Amino acid sequence: MTMNVARIGLWMSARQWPHGTAERRDTAQELAELGYDMVWLGGATADLELPAALLESTERLCVGTGILNIWTESVDLLADTYGMLEKAHPGRLLLGVGAGHARMVESVTGRRYRRPLGAVISYLEALDAVGIPASARVLAALGPRMLGLAARRSAGAHPYLVTPEHTRMAREILGPGALLAPEQKIVLETDPARARAIGRAALSIYLELPNYTNNLRRLGFTDADLAAGGSDRLVDALIAWGDLDSIRTRLEEHCAAGADQVAVQILTDNKQLPRAQWRIFAAGLDLRPPAVAGAVSGI
C-alpha cells in the first residue's frame, strides 16, 4: 500500500479532542471536508483509540502519531491495535515513535532515562519482531544520530520544534528517499506583541527540556535566546505568525529545504481545538483540490 502525503498536515494534542463518539466523528469529518489530508496526534497511546476514531469517521483522512513514547507504550498492544487498523484502513496510519524526555519519562515510569538511542533501537527491534514494518513508522528525530537511525530503520522522521534550517540539515542526513515531516507552530495574528505572547506560552514547557534546548543550540541559538521565555529572535524562528502570506512563506521554506510535509500546529490563546483557524487556514491555502505532493511507498 502507499500512503499519500499532502504538503500540509495538521498537528494537535490528543488531549484537545472531544471524548464523545459523535463529536469525534463530526470533528474528523469537518477536517476532511475542509481539505486536510493528514492529522498528527500528539500524546497518542498504543491502544490507538483516538486514531481509530478518526480513521473510522472518514474515508481518506490519514493519521500519524506524534509520538508514541517507547518507555510507556506496549509493543504487544501496539501490534494488536495497529494490525486491526491497518487491515480495516490500509495505508492510512503512520506510527511516529520516539524516546520522549528524561524528566517526564522518569516521573511517569520511575525508570532511569538512559541511552535513548539504544533504547529506540531496542524498541524498533521489538516492532520488527511483532510484524510492524519499518515502512509504517517514523522517528521523532532531532540530532544527527537519531536522524541517521530514522533513515536506516523507518520510513523517515517527524522532527518537532524545528526551523527550516533544521529541515535542511535533516534532509541531508536522511537522504532523498525518506519521509521528512517537520512540525511547525503558527499563530494567525498580525500584532507582534500578541502573536509572540501566544508563542511564548506554547514554548514555555519545551525550553525546559534538554532534548529541545540542545537542538536549538546546534542551530545557533544562545543561552540568552533560551532565557526568560525566549528571545524575539527565537520565538520568531520557531513560531510562524502574521497573515496567511507570511505563514505560507515559512511553510514554503520548509518545503524548499526538503520537507515532504509540514505538520502545522495552530496556536491560539486557549486550549480548545482551533476550529475557526482551521477554516481560515484551509481557505487561505486552498486545500480543497486533492493534489498530492509526495508519497511514502510501502505503507
Side-chain angles (χ1 to χ4, degrees), residues 206-231:
Y206 304 115
L207 297 186
E208 299 177 356
L209 299 173
N211 294 22
Y212 291 125
T213 55
N214 290 340
N215 188 57
L216 292 170
R217 289 187 180 96
R218 279 194 294 266
L219 294 171
F221 295 101
T222 66
D223 289 345
D225 287 313
L226 300 173
S231 66

Side-chain angles (χ1 to χ4, degrees), residues 14 28 41 43-44 53 66 122 128 171 209 213 225 273 295:
L41 296 173
S122 296
D128 291 339
R171 175 52 72 197
L209 299 173
T213 55
D225 287 313
L273 288 176

Side-chain angles (χ1 to χ4, degrees), residues 264-286:
V264 172
Q265 182 177 179
I266 301 177
L267 304 178
T268 66
D269 56 4
N270 61 61
K271 302 296 185 181
Q272 304 302 312
L273 288 176
R275 296 176 184 274
Q277 288 80 4
W278 287 346
R279 293 189 286 271
I280 295 170
F281 188 65
L285 270 69
D286 193 19

Side-chain angles (χ1 to χ4, degrees), residues 227-278:
S231 66
D232 284 355
R233 181 172 88 103
L234 179 71
V235 173
D236 292 351
L238 294 175
I239 313 292
W241 58 267
D243 59 19
L244 283 167
D245 285 340
S246 299
I247 289 168
R248 184 185 292 107
T249 296
R250 177 70 60 85
L251 304 184
E252 290 172 348
E253 289 172 356
H254 277 288
C255 294
D260 298 291
Q261 181 192 95
V262 185
V264 172
Q265 182 177 179
I266 301 177
L267 304 178
T268 66
D269 56 4
N270 61 61
K271 302 296 185 181
Q272 304 302 312
L273 288 176
R275 296 176 184 274
Q277 288 80 4
W278 287 346

Side-chain angles (χ1 to χ4, degrees), residues 36-111:
Y36 294 106
D37 291 296
M38 187 162 185
V39 173
W40 291 87
L41 296 173
T45 52
D47 60 15
L48 298 178
E49 178 188 8
L50 183 54
L54 273 64
L55 293 171
E56 291 163 2
S57 298
T58 67
E59 295 183 356
R60 64 175 182 83
L61 192 67
C62 297
V63 179
T65 61
I67 61 168
L68 295 167
N69 193 303
I70 64 166
W71 307 95
T72 60
E73 301 310 311
S74 161
V75 168
D76 290 338
L77 176 58
L78 184 58
D80 289 342
T81 53
Y82 170 80
M84 289 187 292
L85 289 177
E86 177 60 21
K87 183 177 180 179
H89 311 286
R92 293 173 57 200
L93 177 63
L94 190 58
L95 302 177
V97 302
H101 304 277
R103 186 182 73 183
M104 297 174 178
V105 168
E106 291 177 353
S107 66
V108 170
T109 68
R111 298 165 58 189

Side-chain angles (χ1 to χ4, degrees), residues 191-213:
D191 179 81
R194 292 200 312 219
R196 288 174 177 146
I198 293 170
R200 283 192 174 90
L203 292 178
S204 60
I205 185 173
Y206 304 115
L207 297 186
E208 299 177 356
L209 299 173
N211 294 22
Y212 291 125
T213 55

